[in-house]
Amino acid sequence: NAGVTQTPKFQVLKTGQSMTLQCAQDMNHEYMSWYRQDPGMGLRLIHYSVGAGITDQGEVPNGYNVSRSTTEDFPLRLLSAAPSQTSVYFCASRRELMNTEAFFGQGTRLTVV
Amino acid sequence: AQTVTQSQPEMSVQEAETVTLSCTYDTSESDYYLFWYKQPPSRQMILVIRQEAYKQQNATENRFSVNFQKAAKSFSLKISDSQLGDAAMYFCAYRGSYRGGSEKLVFGKGTKLTVNP
């Protein structure tokens, strides 16, 4: 099982550039989400989706856009990259049942210069 | 809003000994889920153990066990017979149980565990 796959693993962007972080899962999980991890901050929720066509904002959504056209994919778009978006980004998925845990991708380290 | 506090930024333990990582949380909900995740240098987030708040029995997974004190809102992780491979950052996380508002995992800031040979 591939589980949750994120691409790329590393990325350097210039301020103002846009890009899309890819996330795909092959476990047929209904729920998918994006988190960012900053030093000393733990992980914080950016956006999440409870199924295809349904997305909602998390704790830190500004500067990011998402869509969920299929169950498998949940891309995260940076509209105009800023140095404050330098972080490690994690995609996670889980089954809809209440007592299930989230499975995480391996993360994308993004640097905005 | 729910919060999760890990008061120990760093801990160390000798190989084969036992260590306890602390976690407290704040919530007004009566039903929720608690998790401990391990993050080794590879960056991968790995679930260590989980606890459903409605269960009184403490969860156990091999050398890992929790001390869940619901009234005190405390959820500590005990690692027995520590191994070098246990060295990692450990995150405590909370998730509410209500559909639609429950997708958010709230994380603590983490505890870096060092295992000395």
Side-chain angles (χ1 to χ4, degrees):
Chain A
N1 273 347
V4 180
T5 302
Q6 289 182 236
T7 55
K9 290 186 174 58
F10 301 93
Q11 183 70 49
V12 178
L13 284 180
K14 293 183 179 179
T15 297
Q17 285 185 319
S18 63
M19 79 158 294
T20 299
L21 306 185
Q22 301 292 343
C23 175
Q25 51 93 7
D26 61 358
M27 298 173 282
N28 203 30
H29 286 174
E30 296 89 351
Y31 286 12
M32 296 186 75
S33 50
W34 277 101
Y35 291 83
R36 60 177 287 173
Q37 181 180 21
D38 300 298
M41 295 288 291
L43 279 74
R44 293 179 293 169
L45 182 65
I46 304 172
H47 286 286
Y48 67 96
S49 168
V50 299
I54 306 170
T55 63
D56 206 346
Q57 296 181 353
E59 183 182 355
V60 287
N62 292 339
Y64 307 95
N65 202 1
V66 293
S67 60
R68 182 103 179 266
S69 56
T70 67
T71 299
E72 295 78 19
D73 300 299
F74 191 46
L76 178 73
R77 298 181 189 85
L78 279 69
L79 308 173
S80 177
S84 61
Q85 294 179 304
T86 294
S87 188
V88 178
Y89 292 85
F90 287 95
C91 179
S93 75
R94 71 177 183 92
R95 290 179 60 202
E96 183 182 3
L97 296 176
M98 280 299 146
N99 64 346
T100 58
E101 73 271 20
F103 292 84
F104 286 81
Q106 72 272 41
T108 296
R109 180 176 291 280
L110 175 68
T111 302
V112 183
V113 298
Chain B
Q2 294 84 10
T3 59
V4 175
T5 302
Q6 294 179 248
S7 59
Q8 308 151 317
E10 296 187 22
M11 292 282 285
S12 63
V13 63
Q14 292 296 124
E15 197 174 2
E17 295 189 346
T18 295
V19 65
T20 298
L21 308 184
S22 300
C23 174
T24 59
Y25 58 94
D26 187 25
T27 183
S28 58
E29 296 178 329
S30 60
D31 199 13
Y32 47 85
Y33 301 88
L34 297 165
F35 306 87
W36 278 98
Y37 279 91
K38 170 185 178 181
Q39 187 180 43
S42 68
R43 205 167 65 200
Q44 182 71 47
M45 294 288 287
I46 303 164
L47 179 70
V48 174
I49 200 166
R50 70 178 179 197
Q51 175 82 42
E52 291 91 339
Y54 63 86
K55 290 186 177 179
Q56 294 185 340
Q57 187 172 4
N58 289 327
T60 299
E61 289 287 343
N62 300 315
R63 297 183 294 106
F64 298 88
S65 61
V66 299
N67 183 5
F68 173 50
Q69 302 287 330
K70 191 173 184 179
K73 297 180 181 175
S74 172
F75 182 60
S76 60
L77 174 70
K78 185 171 83 172
I79 306 174
S80 304
D81 186 25
S82 296
Q83 301 175 359
L84 295 177
D86 295 334
M89 185 72 81
Y90 286 81
F91 291 97
C92 178
Y94 167 102
R95 193 183 81 221
S97 68
Y98 296 104
R99 186 170 181 155
S102 67
E103 189 46 28
K104 179 181 177 182
L105 270 173
V106 180
F107 285 86
K109 294 183 178 182
T111 296
K112 182 179 180 181
L113 178 66
T114 301
V115 181
N116 300 310

